[in-house]
Amino acid sequence: MSVWHDNDRFLYTTVDDPLARPLFDGLEQEYDNRYADVRRRIGGSAREELQRYPAEAFAAPVGAFVLLLRDGVAISGGAFMPHRDEDTAEFKRIWTLPGLRRQGIARRVLQELESQAARQGYRRVFLTTGFRQPEAVGLYLSHGYTALFDLDADPETIAHLPFEKQLVPRPQVGVAPDIALHGAVA
């Protein structure tokens, strides 16, 4: 089930946008809750994980950061940056507010990121999710992603679960105008 409200729109912005702060705070809390014991064993914090990449990594023309706004409030979002080769975008931080899950919102963000990555000339998506995020695994598998790990293995023995998907090639157009226009009308 995908719920779309008349006042929903995508906004391409930066990771430093104040509208994104509640999403990052929620994501940090969720990482802390799901992986607290792991963090105690290996060190580090969820905040450090979220700040591992500089904001520029998710900026056009090589990256993107999108928020899904409802009534001007960010309810979901995600980003991508270049991966190891020029044809591959790496998706990061796809997250939806907990009270709005199971409504197809993350799927819409995922589709939007795929479309934008294709517009920016990427032909493949790579992403990882954590071993304690079965709903993310289900989302990616149901959306045509290929698991790059043994699906029958214990996820805790793998830790980071990688996926890939080939994108439908689209003609590359001027990125900056598309992002501005797209964010304004979507």
Side-chain angles (χ1 to χ4, degrees), residues 14-165:
T14 68
V15 296
D16 298 323
D17 190 319
L19 288 170
R21 187 78 261 146
L23 286 180
F24 285 129
D25 290 345
L27 184 55
E28 180 181 347
Q29 182 179 0
E30 185 149 338
Y31 282 174
D32 278 340
N33 290 339
R34 289 189 190 214
Y35 299 103
D37 62 319
V38 175
R39 294 277 176 219
R40 282 192 297 272
R41 281 195 319 263
I42 65 172
S45 69
R47 181 172 300 270
E48 289 170 334
E49 170 61 25
L50 288 171
Q51 296 174 345
R52 183 165 34 152
Y53 306 102
E56 305 81 48
F58 304 108
V62 296
F65 179 73
V66 67
L67 296 173
L68 178 58
L69 304 180
R70 179 171 292 162
D71 295 323
V73 176
I75 63 169
S76 189
F80 66 81
M81 63 184 196
H83 189 52
R84 294 185 178 139
D85 63 79
E86 65 184 32
D87 291 330
T88 304
E90 182 172 355
F91 285 11
K92 306 293 283 180
R93 316 293 186 241
I94 299 169
W95 198 75
T96 300
L97 292 175
L100 297 173
R101 293 183 180 162
R102 308 215 41 91
Q103 298 179 28
I105 294 170
R107 179 176 304 277
R108 287 179 30 220
V109 170
L110 185 61
Q111 291 169 332
E112 180 66 23
L113 287 170
E114 289 174 0
S115 294
Q116 185 60 34
R119 284 190 293 271
Q120 287 179 225
Y122 290 106
R123 294 188 291 186
R124 178 180 171 260
V125 171
F126 174 84
L127 61 83
T128 61
T129 193
F131 58 90
R132 292 186 181 157
Q133 294 169 252
E135 58 283 296
V137 170
L139 170 67
Y140 302 135
L141 290 173
S142 71
H143 199 61
Y145 282 75
T146 301
L148 301 176
F149 61 95
D150 181 355
L151 286 168
D152 294 323
D154 176 1
E156 296 221 13
T157 64
I158 303 170
H160 294 86
L161 309 178
F163 292 85
E164 72 175 351
K165 182 177 181 180

